[in-house]
Amino acid sequence: NTIKDLIISNSQGVSLSGELNILVYVKTAEGNLAADGYLTLISSETQTALIDGSGSGDVTGDVHMQRYLASAFGYKYVSSPFSDATVAGFAEEVDLAASFAEFYRYDENREATGWIGYTDPGGALTPMTGYSANTGSVATPLLMSLTGRVNNGVLTPVALYNHDKTYTRGFNLVGNPYPSPINWDAAEGWVRSNIDDAVYFFDAGGADRYTGTYSTYINGISSNGAAGPLIASMQGFFVHVSDGAYPVEGQFGMDNRVRVNDLSAAYHKNTETEYRPLIRLSAAYEGAGKHTDHLALYFVENATPGFDPGLDAVKLENTDSDVPDFYAITDCSRRLSVGAWPLSQTHEIPLGIKTEKQGMLTFSLVSEENLPQGKRVYLKDKANGTVQDLRLKSAYKTSLAAGEVNERFALLLSDSDLSQETFGSGSADAQVRDGLIYAIIWLRDEQVEVRLHNMAGQLLMERTLYGEGEHRLGQAPAPGVYIMSIFTGMGTISKKILVQ
């Protein structure tokens, strides 16, 4: 009872009287298909079956739709392709009786977090609304399944709001309401008034199933090279209602013209095909592996250093403390995950970073595409005067305390050579943390000698260090004031250390 495609071309309609599994698609070109609970849209690691929205007929009665997930670990943003599904439809994948709620809806108009536990099995899964489902603590594949009467045709626009609340900041969690993927870039079929052009996807963390990171797509550009305009069936995602005279009301709706027949099981898919100068950067704690935040900067003639909701994407902060928030800053102090700038002169684009913990961070040039010949890319660190050519050395490391840093770093684009590494007091540092003493070196490819003396001049420690980075020297001495001297080929730096 499993077939590839099913095409209905019968003005009298067709009824199923037994189970039928579809691997690719169903199309009601003419006449209706009465599914009556017998039809299942199969999902696998390679593809997910769909219902084509271009026919003149409807699929009536209950349909079962599967969604393959490569990993069940952590939260997923989900939506319903059905008009009558309830929270109980996710009971097999989510523990609705857990003491700490594992299924949520989102309310933008709240003073605290927008997340509200939504575990009543009878709660409606409203079309075009997104939900957050915690599907477990094991990173093994999971096959979700939901049942109901499929949505088709025009979805009446709903009101979304931006109340300028501290934590929600105008973001609204919405979802794909159809049993097929939809195209965010579709030329027709969308109602998106007072809604920015960016779309935001969530990926669960690798260690803590209650946290994760966001990727962004807008105007053909993704923040991480993976997010794209195709939004899978049963996929929830964030949009941002534009700023203005608060509260701002947006309208969000769609019809079948936004639907596409793409069978990819991946929630994120990128289609950057236009010839645009593009720079993609990342920031991560040293040794963090895949725990990385991404920033994309592209250059078009009609861009400005300010904020444009059709070109720029507001930064949606990650929830994983092991991942910093990395962003560009506009002239009007907006923080961006994807930003457009003009490419007509030497640029200094302010960069900011927000961290939840102290540590050594690495800023990296991930890729640069289509830049004019001779245009150079630099990272500027105003704290120590370093201007590093990212094409010659793509990674820049520095130690940062927890908090926000919004005036120290910048990306420079220039036709001339600006690179320099200034030697001075900012080229090295010393810190005491958790009873351990550290030397932090910002001089690349440099061998240095480090000595620790007490105020009486007695030598307590001596080390030879190689290369930039954060070096742990060992146990801190007894409480008191000490001097760390760092000897380099360009001179000596001395730092006073207080051990409490």
Side-chain angles (χ1 to χ4, degrees):
N1 293 340
T2 298
I3 63 174
K4 180 184 175 186
D5 306 322
L6 176 62
I7 301 172
I8 304 301
S9 184
N10 184 334
S11 60
Q12 301 303 307
V14 174
S15 297
L16 294 181
S17 57
E19 292 184 3
L20 186 64
N21 301 322
I22 302 297
L23 297 179
V24 179
Y25 72 89
V26 174
K27 180 177 179 179
T28 52
E30 182 184 7
N32 295 339
L33 171 65
D36 296 335
Y38 293 118
L39 184 68
T40 299
L41 301 174
I42 300 295
S43 182
S44 67
E45 184 177 2
T46 57
Q47 65 185 36
T48 296
L50 57 87
I51 296 178
D52 186 313
S54 64
S56 62
D58 290 311
V59 177
T60 64
D62 280 352
V63 173
H64 311 291
M65 184 161 198
Q66 298 178 350
R67 166 53 65 182
Y68 175 90
L69 299 177
S71 171
F73 187 86
Y75 280 98
K76 308 293 184 294
Y77 290 175
V78 298
S79 65
S80 170
F82 305 118
S83 61
D84 57 349
T86 64
V87 173
F90 285 110
E92 291 188 9
E93 295 84 17
V94 179
D95 183 1
L96 299 178
S99 57
F100 185 87
E102 296 193 348
F103 196 84
Y104 290 84
R105 64 182 180 90
Y106 194 83
D107 183 358
E108 180 273 340
N109 188 23
R110 299 189 75 216
E111 294 296 340
T113 174
W115 298 109
I116 301 174
Y118 192 55
T119 57
D120 179 1
L125 298 178
T126 307
M128 294 190 296
T129 300
Y131 303 90
S132 183
N134 192 328
T135 52
S137 59
V138 181
T140 54
L142 173 69
L143 191 64
M144 290 196 304
S145 180
L146 200 61
T147 298
R149 297 175 181 266
V150 295
N151 294 313
N152 186 36
V154 177
L155 275 296
T156 304
V158 296
L160 305 178
Y161 292 93
N162 183 345
H163 289 89
D164 194 31
K165 298 297 184 180
T166 302
Y167 298 102
T168 60
R169 297 182 294 122
F171 284 98
N172 289 256
L173 185 61
V174 297
N176 179 355
Y178 295 117
S180 66
I182 56 177
N183 183 3
W184 186 251
D185 287 343
E188 297 179 305
W190 284 105
V191 176
R192 298 197 312 236
S193 63
N194 284 337
I195 294 175
D196 296 353
D197 282 352
V199 58
Y200 301 82
F201 301 102
F202 179 79
D203 291 306
D208 184 347
R209 69 185 179 120
Y210 298 101
T211 65
T213 58
Y214 290 97
S215 57
T216 311
Y217 171 83
I218 184 173
N219 194 30
I221 303 294
S222 68
S223 60
N224 63 352
L230 298 188
I231 302 170
S233 53
M234 295 178 67
Q235 170 79 70
F237 56 97
F238 269 112
V239 296
H240 182 257
V241 174
S242 302
D243 294 323
Y246 302 107
V248 178
E249 178 179 329
Q251 290 291 315
F252 183 73
M254 66 194 82
D255 62 42
N256 279 351
R257 290 174 293 177
V258 308
R259 296 171 69 173
V260 293
N261 290 356
D262 189 287
L263 300 169
S264 171
Y267 270 28
H268 301 170
K269 190 172 183 179
N270 183 34
T271 57
E272 291 176 6
T273 57
E274 289 194 49
Y275 180 86
R276 291 174 175 169
L278 169 67
I279 296 172
R280 187 168 282 117
L281 305 170
S282 69
Y285 287 102
E286 189 172 37
K290 296 181 180 180
H291 297 275
T292 301
D293 200 32
H294 296 269
L295 166 65
L297 303 171
Y298 68 109
F299 303 88
V300 291
E301 290 183 359
N302 59 331
T304 71
F307 177 73
D308 184 334
L311 299 175
D312 302 318
V314 176
K315 176 67 178 178
L316 179 55
E317 293 182 1
N318 303 311
T319 61
D320 190 340
S321 62
D322 289 329
V323 181
D325 286 301
F326 187 33
Y327 44 85
I329 304 174
T330 69
D331 285 356
C332 55
S333 300
R334 298 302 299 272
R335 301 177 181 185
L336 307 179
S337 55
V338 178
W341 264 263
L343 189 66
S344 57
Q345 55 188 355
T346 299
H347 280 75
E348 182 169 322
I349 301 173
L351 305 177
I353 192 160
K354 180 180 179 182
T355 58
E356 298 295 330
K357 60 182 182 181
Q358 180 173 324
M360 181 67 69
L361 274 91
T362 301
F363 298 90
S364 299
L365 174 65
V366 177
S367 64
E368 51 94 2
E369 305 168 17
N370 306 323
L371 289 181
Q373 187 173 2
K375 189 70 70 175
R376 305 188 185 199
V377 183
Y378 302 92
L379 182 72
K380 181 178 182 180
D381 186 344
K382 300 176 184 179
N384 56 29
T386 296
V387 178
Q388 180 170 309
D389 188 332
L390 292 177
R391 283 176 171 169
L392 296 179
K393 188 175 184 183
S394 61
Y396 179 77
K397 298 180 181 181
T398 188
S399 180
L400 293 178
E404 296 184 10
V405 179
N406 294 325
E407 298 180 353
R408 174 174 170 177
F409 302 103
L411 186 76
L412 302 181
L413 281 82
S414 177
D415 295 325
S416 56
D417 186 1
L418 304 177
S419 61
Q420 57 179 314
E421 288 199 69
T422 303
F423 173 75
S425 61
S427 300
D429 199 3
Q431 296 178 357
V432 175
R433 302 196 308 271
D434 301 324
L436 299 172
I437 191 166
Y438 295 84
I440 299 137
I441 311 298
W442 287 293
L443 299 170
R444 61 181 175 182
D445 304 325
E446 183 82 13
Q447 176 179 319
V448 301
E449 301 294 329
V450 176
R451 298 172 188 169
L452 183 69
H453 295 82
N454 60 21
M455 297 305 292
Q458 295 174 309
L459 178 64
L460 304 179
M461 185 184 298
E462 186 173 14
R463 299 283 190 277
T464 299
L465 307 178
Y466 298 91
E468 63 186 354
E470 181 178 82
H471 303 272
R472 187 173 71 177
L473 303 181
Q475 195 71 29
V481 179
Y482 300 86
I483 300 294
M484 180 180 287
S485 299
I486 303 166
F487 301 88
T488 78
M490 294 182 286
T492 303
I493 304 167
S494 294
K495 295 287 182 178
K496 184 179 291 187
I497 302 175
L498 174 63
V499 178
Q500 296 181 325

